[in-house]
């Protein structure tokens, strides 16, 4: 294994991404977390400082190839090449397909799928040079089951499965693993906005009878990033309380 434990987590300022950042910090990683805003990077920097951890928050436009390259250069200059990449940043723009605008389709595909291609392409080059890496893509249960009103989001998350499996085959000889983790309904700011009757209906559809916590998902990410998961690649790990079996 590479000596340095350096992780890059996109969309790390809240929800699942923030818990992933905290989990990797606890595991001893230097963590670089990205956000679209200065407010978001302030949250990341505050958490890293409170934990006395190495790393920093960075404003990143994951749609901009030059922005990604600049961040990677900064990471390498400060700490060395990233050994773990967690592609977590994503958006939703829900609508029934018949009413879905081109922008609602394009924005979600661009952010949730094309940006994963861009970020991974930049980071994986250095992983190949150091002959070690862990690439972890955050998918979704709806990428497997589908969901009315989310043709764009479901398509982007379903495509991640093929992306991960194909890339896993390409880089396995360099000791780089590529996996997808697909959460179900996780208790985050997003689900807190749901009405009580919507939450009840969701919980009733989950065999374990509750939503998952962001920390439970982050623990799976921490495992897949570790040496203990060195023989797992090209897989999708469902973390959904039995919602989709």
């Amino acid at each position: 294994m590479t000596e340095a434990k350096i992780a890059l987590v996109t969309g790390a300022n809240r929800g699942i991404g923030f818990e992933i950042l905290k989990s990797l910090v606890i595991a001893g990683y230097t963590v670089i977390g990205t956000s679209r805003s200065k407010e978001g990077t302030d949250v990341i920097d505050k958490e890293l400082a409170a934990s006395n951890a190495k790393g920093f928050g960075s404003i990143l436009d994951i749609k901009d190839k030059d922005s990604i390259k600049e961040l990677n250069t900064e990471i390498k200059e400060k700490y060395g090449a990233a050994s773990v990449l967690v592609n977590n940043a994503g958006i939703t723009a829900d609508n029934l397909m018949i009413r879905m605008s081109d922008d609602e389709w394009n924005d979600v595909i661009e952010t949730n799928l094309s940006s994963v291609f861009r970020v991974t392409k930049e980071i994986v080059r250095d992983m190949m040079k150091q002959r070690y890496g862990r690439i972890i893509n955050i998918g979704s249960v709806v990428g497997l089951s589908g969901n009315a009103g989310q043709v764009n989001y479901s398509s982007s998350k379903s495509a991640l499965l093929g992306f991960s499996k194909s890339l896993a085959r390409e880089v396995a000889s360099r000791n780089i693993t590529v996996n997808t983790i697909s959460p179900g309904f996780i208790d985050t700011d997003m689900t807190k906005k749901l009405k009580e009757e919507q939450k009840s209906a969701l919980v009733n559809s989950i065999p374990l009878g509750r939503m998952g916590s962001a920390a439970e998902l982050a623990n799976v990410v921490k495992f897949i990033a570790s040496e203990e998961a060195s023989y797992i690649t090209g897989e999708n790990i469902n973390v959904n309380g039995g919602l989709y079996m």
Side-chain angles (χ1 to χ4, degrees), residues 15-36:
I16 288 168
F18 188 59
E19 289 297 329
I20 290 171
L21 177 139
K22 291 197 293 184
S23 179
L24 292 175
V25 164
I26 290 168
Y29 286 84
T30 296
V31 185
I32 296 84
T34 78
S35 171
R36 289 181 291 179

Side-chain angles (χ1 to χ4, degrees), residues 4-79:
K5 291 175 68 173
I6 302 159
L8 171 60
V9 182
T10 65
N13 59 300
R14 63 189 178 95
I16 288 168
F18 188 59
E19 289 297 329
I20 290 171
L21 177 139
K22 291 197 293 184
S23 179
L24 292 175
V25 164
I26 290 168
Y29 286 84
T30 296
V31 185
I32 296 84
T34 78
S35 171
R36 289 181 291 179
S37 69
K38 175 68 164 58
E39 292 80 9
T41 59
D42 286 346
V43 169
I44 293 166
D45 286 333
K46 186 177 178 182
E47 176 61 31
L48 292 171
S51 303
N52 198 28
K54 289 182 180 178
F56 60 92
S58 176
I59 297 173
L60 178 67
D61 179 1
I62 55 175
K63 294 181 180 180
D64 181 6
K65 189 164 65 173
D66 291 337
S67 181
I68 296 164
K69 188 175 184 63
E70 286 167 14
L71 173 58
N72 190 32
T73 299
E74 184 179 3
I75 294 169
K76 288 190 285 186
E77 286 175 352
K78 287 184 176 178
Y79 302 113

Side-chain angles (χ1 to χ4, degrees), residues 17-234:
F18 188 59
E19 289 297 329
I20 290 171
L21 177 139
K22 291 197 293 184
S23 179
L24 292 175
V25 164
I26 290 168
Y29 286 84
T30 296
V31 185
I32 296 84
T34 78
S35 171
R36 289 181 291 179
S37 69
K38 175 68 164 58
E39 292 80 9
T41 59
D42 286 346
V43 169
I44 293 166
D45 286 333
K46 186 177 178 182
E47 176 61 31
L48 292 171
S51 303
N52 198 28
K54 289 182 180 178
F56 60 92
S58 176
I59 297 173
L60 178 67
D61 179 1
I62 55 175
K63 294 181 180 180
D64 181 6
K65 189 164 65 173
D66 291 337
S67 181
I68 296 164
K69 188 175 184 63
E70 286 167 14
L71 173 58
N72 190 32
T73 299
E74 184 179 3
I75 294 169
K76 288 190 285 186
E77 286 175 352
K78 287 184 176 178
Y79 302 113
S83 54
V84 173
L85 168 63
V86 183
N87 286 305
N88 170 70
I91 61 169
T92 57
D94 297 350
N95 214 337
L96 294 175
M97 197 201 78
I98 195 120
R99 296 177 189 155
M100 188 173 287
S101 68
D102 284 1
D103 283 347
E104 285 171 331
W105 170 267
N106 290 330
D107 287 350
V108 170
I109 296 298
E110 182 69 17
T111 302
N112 296 5
L113 179 62
S114 299
S115 294
V116 171
F117 164 75
R118 274 189 290 272
V119 175
T120 305
K121 185 175 181 181
E122 174 65 33
I123 300 300
V124 78
R125 295 178 191 275
D126 294 307
M127 289 180 172
M128 292 178 78
K129 288 175 188 172
Q130 62 189 14
R131 303 188 73 86
Y132 182 88
R134 298 277 190 268
I135 298 168
I136 302 166
N137 299 317
I138 304 301
S140 171
V141 63
V142 303
L144 298 156
S145 66
N147 196 33
Q150 290 193 309
V151 164
N152 49 4
Y153 186 76
S154 297
S155 296
S156 70
K157 295 302 187 179
S158 181
L160 276 184
L161 303 177
F163 176 94
S164 299
K165 288 177 183 292
S166 297
L167 183 60
R169 290 182 180 275
E170 291 182 13
V171 298
S173 65
R174 299 299 181 98
N175 196 30
I176 301 166
T177 66
V178 188
N179 293 285
T180 311
I181 298 174
S182 294
F185 292 108
I186 304 296
D187 190 10
T188 62
D189 292 343
M190 202 180 292
T191 52
K192 281 182 172 67
K193 293 175 185 174
L194 296 173
K195 296 175 182 175
E196 281 306 315
E197 56 266 31
Q198 290 176 306
K199 282 186 185 177
S200 295
L202 287 177
V203 167
N204 288 336
S205 68
I206 301 168
L208 282 180
R210 64 176 177 84
M211 289 190 185
S213 72
E216 286 174 312
L217 183 76
N219 284 333
V220 180
V221 174
K222 182 170 68 174
F223 168 67
I224 293 298
S226 74
E227 275 301 282
E228 283 80 359
S230 58
Y231 203 54
I232 301 172
T233 195

